[in-house]
Amino acid sequence: MQRTKVKELLTGAEVGKEVLLKGWVRTKRGNKFVNFIAVNDGSTIQNLQVVADAEKFGDEALKDVTTGAAVSITGELVASQGKGQAFEVIANTIEVLGKADPETYPLQKKAHSLEFLREIAHLRFRTNTFGAVFRVRNTLAFAVHKFFNEKGFVYMHTPIITASDAEGAGEMFHVTNFDLDNLPRTEDGKINYEEDFFGKATNLTVSGQLEGELAAMAFSDIYTFGPTFRAENSNTARHLAEFWMIEPEMAFYDLKMNADLAEEFIKYIIRYALEHNREDIEFLGQRLVEEDKAKPQNERQEMTLLEKLEFVVSNNFERVTYTEAVEILMNSPAYKKKKFQYEVSWGIDLQSEHERYLVEKHFKKPVIVTDYPKDIKAFYMRLNDDGKTVAAMDILAPGIGEIVGGSQREERMEILVERMKSVGIHEEDLWWYLDTRRFGGCPHAGFGLGFERMVQFVTGMGNIRDVIPFPRTPKNAEF
Ligand code: ATP
Ligand code: MN
């Protein structure tokens, strides 16, 4: 007999038929006459209730059917008489494929803290919360590819190992096969990278953008979706040392077209998740409502998770320039009452508290901030006519802060070289990048969306460690 997944069984299509299901026991309860076994196979947040007649099976056959055990069950799918589920299976055979000792299996019925579950990340997929989170993550990843594919973008695999540290500036992980206890040195005592695997110093990439630009100069529209690495020591709820980034790059796009695409993209993937993972998102929303009950009134969410997501997909993002954003901040009650920890003035890099004030207190919706001072942005961003700002854009989301960073790129050779010089990047190191300006360069733009921050936004999870299966953070690379 062919196995049917729980999600499929719960549609009731096979009612009245003998079915085979396999999965893991979530709970078993019962009395002298009957046992109810809730089975989950990860296909949906719902469990399938299996009804096992106590007399038919006997204690011996059911003793290993405990929380966490893997089971294979046959029986008839019937309309359920009980509350809570539309269909259930009346068991004919129950086989325990893998036992889970109730004395030592860590996931028992009681609710566990997210912190505890992080320590047993190898098992946390089996909880309702993480089941929902990672099904949503999967749907979002699929929607990313679907969106760009429908638009005719070419998916590019940019390298993970890179010899250019133009962007990283000290935040990169070295890649080497040197014996670290016995490093080859040059005569002046420096490490001799010529003897290293690649014949030069290499790192894990912080972004696929520079290579993405090369491909955009041939395919017009490309995107990358891959892992990126940052050795920044920021132990926050929104930073990982290894995270996934989506980086579209488009020839013949200016900043406005770039922002329009980013907004359309974000709405598309959220809408896709709302359509395909509604039960998961509802469950995660309920989780937040429960969590909020422990908080003082003024810290509770104004909207439920579903309301927030529906609101975001059906309203325009706000658009302001950096200069306007700074004015808003300086005129804010929070500024006047000295509530900000960091100074606000034209030229500062917006801190997370400022970004959150703008999206959560002032506009109460996602905000696209454009035209930042050139000194706080990367060398490749296009210089505006004012000579002070660049055609940059950050998208800020409620509860998260920066979710997208992007810009129109500097396509004018002389200005680009000038900017590189001023930040100490050697032309020789990026000769291939400069070639795109030399040969058939054109106006172009792109952005990077941090995938985990997007998953946080859609699932409402407060800590980025809870939306990637096995988080890498300072002092932590378990599993
Ligand atoms: P932040 O200021 O929040 O540290 P950033 O300006 O360094 O971010 P970018 O270099 O613009 O980030 O990277 C593009 C996107 O990648 C960001 O908008 C964010 O969504 C995501 N991102 C950046 N750093 C991290 C990180 N350490 N962990 C997870 N996501 C990140
Ligand atoms: Mn950024």
PDB file of all heavy atoms in Angstrom, residues 230 232 238-241 243 245 402-405 448-450 452-453 464, ligand 1:
ATOM      1  N   ARG A 230      29.445  36.832   7.462  1.00  0.00           N
ATOM      2  CA  ARG A 230      29.989  38.060   8.047  1.00  0.00           C
ATOM      3  C   ARG A 230      30.569  37.732   9.418  1.00  0.00           C
ATOM      4  O   ARG A 230      29.883  37.194  10.274  1.00  0.00           O
ATOM      5  CB  ARG A 230      28.897  39.119   8.190  1.00  0.00           C
ATOM      6  CG  ARG A 230      28.218  39.384   6.856  1.00  0.00           C
ATOM      7  CD  ARG A 230      28.145  40.825   6.492  1.00  0.00           C
ATOM      8  NE  ARG A 230      27.612  40.927   5.129  1.00  0.00           N
ATOM      9  CZ  ARG A 230      26.743  41.838   4.724  1.00  0.00           C
ATOM     10  NH1 ARG A 230      26.312  42.750   5.587  1.00  0.00           N
ATOM     11  NH2 ARG A 230      26.331  41.873   3.484  1.00  0.00           N
ATOM     12  N   GLU A 232      31.202  39.745  11.635  1.00  0.00           N
ATOM     13  CA  GLU A 232      30.968  40.870  12.542  1.00  0.00           C
ATOM     14  C   GLU A 232      30.531  40.305  13.892  1.00  0.00           C
ATOM     15  O   GLU A 232      29.757  39.366  13.964  1.00  0.00           O
ATOM     16  CB  GLU A 232      29.916  41.824  11.986  1.00  0.00           C
ATOM     17  CG  GLU A 232      28.581  41.140  11.657  1.00  0.00           C
ATOM     18  CD  GLU A 232      27.661  42.029  10.825  1.00  0.00           C
ATOM     19  OE1 GLU A 232      27.963  43.213  10.661  1.00  0.00           O
ATOM     20  OE2 GLU A 232      26.649  41.518  10.347  1.00  0.00           O
ATOM     21  N   ARG A 238      19.142  40.101  15.124  1.00  0.00           N
ATOM     22  CA  ARG A 238      18.956  40.208  13.673  1.00  0.00           C
ATOM     23  C   ARG A 238      20.238  39.960  12.885  1.00  0.00           C
ATOM     24  O   ARG A 238      20.317  40.232  11.705  1.00  0.00           O
ATOM     25  CB  ARG A 238      18.389  41.566  13.253  1.00  0.00           C
ATOM     26  CG  ARG A 238      17.883  42.452  14.362  1.00  0.00           C
ATOM     27  CD  ARG A 238      17.476  43.808  13.870  1.00  0.00           C
ATOM     28  NE  ARG A 238      18.625  44.698  13.911  1.00  0.00           N
ATOM     29  CZ  ARG A 238      19.024  45.448  12.931  1.00  0.00           C
ATOM     30  NH1 ARG A 238      18.383  45.432  11.780  1.00  0.00           N
ATOM     31  NH2 ARG A 238      20.065  46.221  13.070  1.00  0.00           N
ATOM     32  N   HIS A 239      21.265  39.459  13.541  1.00  0.00           N
ATOM     33  CA  HIS A 239      22.522  39.192  12.841  1.00  0.00           C
ATOM     34  C   HIS A 239      22.959  37.739  13.002  1.00  0.00           C
ATOM     35  O   HIS A 239      22.957  37.199  14.101  1.00  0.00           O
ATOM     36  CB  HIS A 239      23.643  40.099  13.361  1.00  0.00           C
ATOM     37  CG  HIS A 239      23.501  41.527  12.926  1.00  0.00           C
ATOM     38  ND1 HIS A 239      22.839  42.452  13.682  1.00  0.00           N
ATOM     39  CD2 HIS A 239      23.922  42.172  11.811  1.00  0.00           C
ATOM     40  CE1 HIS A 239      22.871  43.620  13.046  1.00  0.00           C
ATOM     41  NE2 HIS A 239      23.515  43.481  11.908  1.00  0.00           N
ATOM     42  N   LEU A 240      23.372  37.152  11.880  1.00  0.00           N
ATOM     43  CA  LEU A 240      23.968  35.826  11.884  1.00  0.00           C
ATOM     44  C   LEU A 240      25.340  35.929  11.227  1.00  0.00           C
ATOM     45  O   LEU A 240      25.581  36.835  10.431  1.00  0.00           O
ATOM     46  CB  LEU A 240      23.111  34.859  11.067  1.00  0.00           C
ATOM     47  CG  LEU A 240      21.735  34.489  11.616  1.00  0.00           C
ATOM     48  CD1 LEU A 240      20.884  33.870  10.524  1.00  0.00           C
ATOM     49  CD2 LEU A 240      21.869  33.530  12.798  1.00  0.00           C
ATOM     50  N   ALA A 241      26.215  34.983  11.525  1.00  0.00           N
ATOM     51  CA  ALA A 241      27.515  34.959  10.845  1.00  0.00           C
ATOM     52  C   ALA A 241      27.378  34.288   9.480  1.00  0.00           C
ATOM     53  O   ALA A 241      28.166  34.528   8.576  1.00  0.00           O
ATOM     54  CB  ALA A 241      28.542  34.228  11.700  1.00  0.00           C
ATOM     55  N   PHE A 243      24.304  33.707   6.708  1.00  0.00           N
ATOM     56  CA  PHE A 243      22.890  33.934   6.378  1.00  0.00           C
ATOM     57  C   PHE A 243      22.710  33.887   4.875  1.00  0.00           C
ATOM     58  O   PHE A 243      23.678  33.883   4.122  1.00  0.00           O
ATOM     59  CB  PHE A 243      22.398  35.264   6.952  1.00  0.00           C
ATOM     60  CG  PHE A 243      23.063  36.491   6.384  1.00  0.00           C
ATOM     61  CD1 PHE A 243      22.436  37.246   5.399  1.00  0.00           C
ATOM     62  CD2 PHE A 243      24.304  36.897   6.835  1.00  0.00           C
ATOM     63  CE1 PHE A 243      23.049  38.385   4.867  1.00  0.00           C
ATOM     64  CE2 PHE A 243      24.927  38.025   6.302  1.00  0.00           C
ATOM     65  CZ  PHE A 243      24.286  38.776   5.319  1.00  0.00           C
ATOM     66  N   MET A 245      21.211  35.358   1.305  1.00  0.00           N
ATOM     67  CA  MET A 245      20.831  36.655   0.737  1.00  0.00           C
ATOM     68  C   MET A 245      20.349  36.468  -0.691  1.00  0.00           C
ATOM     69  O   MET A 245      20.842  35.620  -1.432  1.00  0.00           O
ATOM     70  CB  MET A 245      22.015  37.617   0.804  1.00  0.00           C
ATOM     71  CG  MET A 245      21.627  39.012   0.421  1.00  0.00           C
ATOM     72  SD  MET A 245      22.440  40.321   1.323  1.00  0.00           S
ATOM     73  CE  MET A 245      24.151  40.013   1.030  1.00  0.00           C
ATOM     74  N   GLU A 402      16.300  47.247   9.092  1.00  0.00           N
ATOM     75  CA  GLU A 402      16.712  47.093   7.687  1.00  0.00           C
ATOM     76  C   GLU A 402      16.499  45.665   7.190  1.00  0.00           C
ATOM     77  O   GLU A 402      17.026  44.716   7.743  1.00  0.00           O
ATOM     78  CB  GLU A 402      18.186  47.465   7.531  1.00  0.00           C
ATOM     79  CG  GLU A 402      18.615  47.377   6.077  1.00  0.00           C
ATOM     80  CD  GLU A 402      20.115  47.534   5.873  1.00  0.00           C
ATOM     81  OE1 GLU A 402      20.746  48.279   6.645  1.00  0.00           O
ATOM     82  OE2 GLU A 402      20.633  46.913   4.936  1.00  0.00           O
ATOM     83  N   ILE A 403      15.746  45.552   6.115  1.00  0.00           N
ATOM     84  CA  ILE A 403      15.502  44.235   5.525  1.00  0.00           C
ATOM     85  C   ILE A 403      16.125  44.156   4.136  1.00  0.00           C
ATOM     86  O   ILE A 403      16.521  43.092   3.678  1.00  0.00           O
ATOM     87  CB  ILE A 403      13.988  43.917   5.543  1.00  0.00           C
ATOM     88  CG1 ILE A 403      13.689  42.457   5.242  1.00  0.00           C
ATOM     89  CG2 ILE A 403      13.193  44.804   4.613  1.00  0.00           C
ATOM     90  CD1 ILE A 403      12.341  42.011   5.747  1.00  0.00           C
ATOM     91  N   VAL A 404      16.215  45.316   3.468  1.00  0.00           N
ATOM     92  CA  VAL A 404      16.838  45.405   2.147  1.00  0.00           C
ATOM     93  C   VAL A 404      17.843  46.543   2.143  1.00  0.00           C
ATOM     94  O   VAL A 404      17.592  47.602   2.721  1.00  0.00           O
ATOM     95  CB  VAL A 404      15.770  45.682   1.049  1.00  0.00           C
ATOM     96  CG1 VAL A 404      16.409  46.224  -0.224  1.00  0.00           C
ATOM     97  CG2 VAL A 404      14.979  44.424   0.725  1.00  0.00           C
ATOM     98  N   GLY A 405      18.982  46.313   1.488  1.00  0.00           N
ATOM     99  CA  GLY A 405      19.925  47.393   1.213  1.00  0.00           C
ATOM    100  C   GLY A 405      20.242  47.355  -0.274  1.00  0.00           C
ATOM    101  O   GLY A 405      20.535  46.293  -0.803  1.00  0.00           O
ATOM    102  N   GLY A 448      19.977  43.846  -2.038  1.00  0.00           N
ATOM    103  CA  GLY A 448      20.140  42.594  -1.302  1.00  0.00           C
ATOM    104  C   GLY A 448      19.062  42.487  -0.238  1.00  0.00           C
ATOM    105  O   GLY A 448      18.851  43.426   0.532  1.00  0.00           O
ATOM    106  N   LEU A 449      18.366  41.363  -0.250  1.00  0.00           N
ATOM    107  CA  LEU A 449      17.371  41.111   0.792  1.00  0.00           C
ATOM    108  C   LEU A 449      17.898  40.005   1.685  1.00  0.00           C
ATOM    109  O   LEU A 449      18.242  38.919   1.203  1.00  0.00           O
ATOM    110  CB  LEU A 449      16.033  40.668   0.177  1.00  0.00           C
ATOM    111  CG  LEU A 449      14.993  40.179   1.188  1.00  0.00           C
ATOM    112  CD1 LEU A 449      14.064  41.304   1.600  1.00  0.00           C
ATOM    113  CD2 LEU A 449      14.174  39.016   0.670  1.00  0.00           C
ATOM    114  N   GLY A 450      18.003  40.279   2.972  1.00  0.00           N
ATOM    115  CA  GLY A 450      18.422  39.257   3.920  1.00  0.00           C
ATOM    116  C   GLY A 450      17.273  38.283   4.119  1.00  0.00           C
ATOM    117  O   GLY A 450      16.230  38.638   4.646  1.00  0.00           O
ATOM    118  N   GLU A 452      16.762  35.624   6.038  1.00  0.00           N
ATOM    119  CA  GLU A 452      16.301  35.310   7.402  1.00  0.00           C
ATOM    120  C   GLU A 452      15.490  36.463   7.999  1.00  0.00           C
ATOM    121  O   GLU A 452      14.553  36.244   8.752  1.00  0.00           O
ATOM    122  CB  GLU A 452      17.469  34.974   8.321  1.00  0.00           C
ATOM    123  CG  GLU A 452      18.021  33.563   8.108  1.00  0.00           C
ATOM    124  CD  GLU A 452      18.835  33.436   6.841  1.00  0.00           C
ATOM    125  OE1 GLU A 452      19.275  34.481   6.312  1.00  0.00           O
ATOM    126  OE2 GLU A 452      19.018  32.293   6.364  1.00  0.00           O
ATOM    127  N   ARG A 453      15.869  37.701   7.665  1.00  0.00           N
ATOM    128  CA  ARG A 453      15.074  38.825   8.200  1.00  0.00           C
ATOM    129  C   ARG A 453      13.676  38.807   7.599  1.00  0.00           C
ATOM    130  O   ARG A 453      12.693  39.146   8.246  1.00  0.00           O
ATOM    131  CB  ARG A 453      15.781  40.147   7.925  1.00  0.00           C
ATOM    132  CG  ARG A 453      17.053  40.246   8.753  1.00  0.00           C
ATOM    133  CD  ARG A 453      17.530  41.651   8.935  1.00  0.00           C
ATOM    134  NE  ARG A 453      18.856  41.622   9.550  1.00  0.00           N
ATOM    135  CZ  ARG A 453      19.702  42.630   9.525  1.00  0.00           C
ATOM    136  NH1 ARG A 453      19.377  43.769   8.935  1.00  0.00           N
ATOM    137  NH2 ARG A 453      20.874  42.530  10.119  1.00  0.00           N
ATOM    138  N   ILE A 464      16.524  35.968  15.180  1.00  0.00           N
ATOM    139  CA  ILE A 464      16.932  35.422  13.876  1.00  0.00           C
ATOM    140  C   ILE A 464      17.461  33.987  14.011  1.00  0.00           C
ATOM    141  O   ILE A 464      17.401  33.211  13.063  1.00  0.00           O
ATOM    142  CB  ILE A 464      17.965  36.358  13.214  1.00  0.00           C
ATOM    143  CG1 ILE A 464      18.053  36.102  11.698  1.00  0.00           C
ATOM    144  CG2 ILE A 464      19.329  36.262  13.897  1.00  0.00           C
ATOM    145  CD1 ILE A 464      18.749  37.202  10.915  1.00  0.00           C
TER     146      ILE A 464
HETATM  147  P1  ATP B   1      22.823  45.935   9.171  1.00  0.00           P
HETATM  148  O1  ATP B   1      23.062  47.403   9.110  1.00  0.00           O
HETATM  149  O2  ATP B   1      21.437  45.556   9.579  1.00  0.00           O
HETATM  150  O3  ATP B   1      23.876  45.183   9.923  1.00  0.00           O
HETATM  151  P2  ATP B   1      24.041  45.857   6.569  1.00  0.00           P
HETATM  152  O4  ATP B   1      23.812  47.263   6.168  1.00  0.00           O
HETATM  153  O5  ATP B   1      25.384  45.442   7.023  1.00  0.00           O
HETATM  154  O6  ATP B   1      22.952  45.409   7.663  1.00  0.00           O
HETATM  155  P3  ATP B   1      23.890  44.935   3.841  1.00  0.00           P
HETATM  156  O7  ATP B   1      25.333  44.814   3.633  1.00  0.00           O
HETATM  157  O8  ATP B   1      23.157  46.067   3.216  1.00  0.00           O
HETATM  158  O9  ATP B   1      23.572  44.886   5.399  1.00  0.00           O
HETATM  159  O10 ATP B   1      23.216  43.530   3.455  1.00  0.00           O
HETATM  160  C1  ATP B   1      21.974  43.392   2.781  1.00  0.00           C
HETATM  161  C2  ATP B   1      20.919  42.753   3.654  1.00  0.00           C
HETATM  162  O11 ATP B   1      21.392  41.554   4.257  1.00  0.00           O
HETATM  163  C3  ATP B   1      20.482  43.600   4.829  1.00  0.00           C
HETATM  164  O12 ATP B   1      19.515  44.520   4.441  1.00  0.00           O
HETATM  165  C4  ATP B   1      19.935  42.579   5.792  1.00  0.00           C
HETATM  166  O13 ATP B   1      18.610  42.219   5.434  1.00  0.00           O
HETATM  167  C5  ATP B   1      20.818  41.377   5.546  1.00  0.00           C
HETATM  168  N1  ATP B   1      21.892  41.224   6.537  1.00  0.00           N
HETATM  169  C6  ATP B   1      23.015  41.964   6.642  1.00  0.00           C
HETATM  170  N2  ATP B   1      23.817  41.519   7.614  1.00  0.00           N
HETATM  171  C7  ATP B   1      23.185  40.436   8.143  1.00  0.00           C
HETATM  172  C8  ATP B   1      23.525  39.519   9.178  1.00  0.00           C
HETATM  173  N3  ATP B   1      24.671  39.596   9.847  1.00  0.00           N
HETATM  174  N4  ATP B   1      22.652  38.513   9.449  1.00  0.00           N
HETATM  175  C9  ATP B   1      21.490  38.406   8.753  1.00  0.00           C
HETATM  176  N5  ATP B   1      21.118  39.244   7.766  1.00  0.00           N
HETATM  177  C10 ATP B   1      21.953  40.248   7.454  1.00  0.00           C
END
